[in-house]
Amino acid sequence: MEYTVQKLAHLAGISSRTLRYYDEIGILKPARIASSGYRIYGQHEVDRLQQILFYRELGMSLEGIKDIINTADFDGDKALREHREKLLEKREQLDQLIENVEKTIAQKEGRITMSDKEKFAGFKRKMIEENEEKYGQEIREKYGEETVAKSNEKFMNMSQEQYDEFTKLGEEVLSTLYEAFKTGDPAGELAQKTADLHRQWLTFSWPSYSKEAHAGLAQMYVDDSRFTAYYDVKQPGAAEFLRDAVFVYTGTKK
């Protein structure tokens, strides 16, 4: 079975423009170009498009998808199994949120009593699962399975007041960090206030605090581009500045 751009776009539920763009960036080339100039796609391209759309559904960038599926050892069957696992995780997450909404409706109708902890359990579980997807492997390699499990448990057991304070502290860490960055001094008062706020923020989910672990996490912010992007989004260099401030705060040498 072969498809033109329009037919494949209609089949996949995307625009013809999207397929042409995929061709331009080299992520999905047509099988051949007909004498009429039309792009023609075969079964291989259909399967590849399915993989691309699976990855897009999981929130991956086109550049990241291209790097994966263009590798010589790309295994389509293995990728499908991985997609299935990810989708099952998303379904579980959605089921938890649906259950949470249903309980909230039932409470408002007077049919059940719902604790504050229950009200926010679904959202906290979602945060944990998102962090697992992004950073789970790296965090486990650095701190171990038991530490991560205890951290997640502590986070899930937060009261609403604690969760609000945790969120507020996270925002304060960023705002103070950007102000401190302007001073250019990681050992300065504002920078050290940022490091202390960061420590307070960590203790809401960490089972225990140590200067070594704090410094190690700060170094990860610089070593891992995903963490760096988070802190550098408004101020390039902020992640490295935070690392340096934490190193001073914990007495760790570069």
Side-chain angles (χ1 to χ4, degrees):
M1 189 72 178
E2 291 188 329
Y3 300 89
T4 62
V5 167
Q6 285 189 336
K7 287 183 178 180
L8 182 56
H10 179 73
L11 177 69
I14 59 177
S15 68
S16 299
R17 182 178 179 182
T18 296
L19 279 179
R20 294 189 182 96
Y21 179 65
Y22 286 176
D23 182 7
E24 289 174 14
I25 65 175
I27 195 172
L28 181 65
K29 291 287 186 181
R32 61 188 178 86
I33 304 295
S35 58
S36 60
Y38 288 158
R39 295 173 173 88
I40 302 297
Y41 298 86
Q43 190 59 54
H44 173 74
E45 289 71 38
V46 170
D47 292 343
R48 187 178 176 94
L49 177 60
Q50 183 191 37
Q51 293 285 2
I52 293 169
L53 296 180
F54 274 139
Y55 281 121
R56 290 294 284 165
E57 182 65 24
L58 294 173
M60 188 175 291
S61 69
L62 287 175
E63 191 62 35
I65 298 170
K66 182 179 176 181
D67 289 343
I68 291 174
I69 65 178
N70 281 346
T71 56
D73 59 350
F74 176 70
D75 185 334
D77 291 340
K78 180 182 177 182
L80 282 173
R81 289 191 292 270
E82 291 174 349
H83 289 319
R84 179 179 181 276
E85 291 303 314
K86 293 294 184 183
L87 290 171
L88 287 173
E89 289 174 7
K90 289 186 73 172
R91 183 172 72 180
E92 182 181 358
Q93 177 185 314
L94 287 171
D95 286 344
Q96 289 171 344
L97 290 173
I98 290 169
E99 181 183 2
N100 190 273
V101 170
E102 288 176 343
K103 284 184 176 180
T104 302
I105 292 172
Q107 184 204 33
K108 290 185 178 296
E109 293 176 350
R111 291 185 280 119
I112 65 168
T113 300
M114 191 176 183
S115 69
D116 288 342
K117 181 179 177 180
E118 287 180 300
K119 291 177 184 177
F120 295 94
F123 297 106
K124 288 190 286 188
R125 173 60 62 186
K126 180 181 178 183
M127 288 183 65
I128 288 175
E129 289 175 354
E130 287 176 347
N131 284 333
E132 283 286 344
E133 185 175 337
K134 291 180 181 178
Y135 315 116
Q137 181 179 347
E138 291 83 353
I139 295 296
R140 278 173 166 73
E141 289 175 355
K142 192 170 186 66
Y143 298 107
E145 184 72 37
E146 183 179 357
T147 298
V148 174
K150 287 181 177 179
S151 176
N152 289 341
E153 182 181 4
K154 186 174 182 181
F155 183 76
M156 284 299 298
N157 288 328
M158 279 186 195
S159 67
Q160 184 55 35
E161 291 75 15
Q162 289 173 324
Y163 182 78
D164 289 342
E165 182 63 23
F166 170 77
T167 303
K168 180 182 177 183
L169 265 174
E171 294 171 351
E172 193 173 355
V173 167
L174 290 177
S175 61
T176 308
L177 171 62
Y178 295 139
E179 287 300 313
F181 184 87
K182 296 175 184 177
T183 69
D185 183 9
E189 183 178 350
L190 261 182
Q192 290 307 290
K193 179 182 177 181
T194 303
D196 187 62
L197 288 170
H198 190 252
R199 175 193 62 79
Q200 294 178 48
W201 179 72
L202 290 174
T203 57
F204 273 88
S205 58
W206 277 17
S208 61
Y209 173 83
S210 74
K211 291 182 178 180
E212 293 76 14
H214 191 182
L217 182 63
Q219 181 62 53
M220 188 185 292
Y221 290 166
V222 176
D223 294 340
D224 192 310
S225 60
R226 295 166 299 176
F227 284 106
T228 304
Y230 174 77
Y231 286 100
D232 283 11
V233 64
K234 290 185 179 179
Q235 177 57 67
E240 187 172 348
F241 185 86
L242 175 59
R243 187 274 313 272
D244 293 346
V246 169
F247 277 8
V248 173
Y249 182 82
T250 57
T252 305
K253 293 182 180 180
K254 287 189 184 180

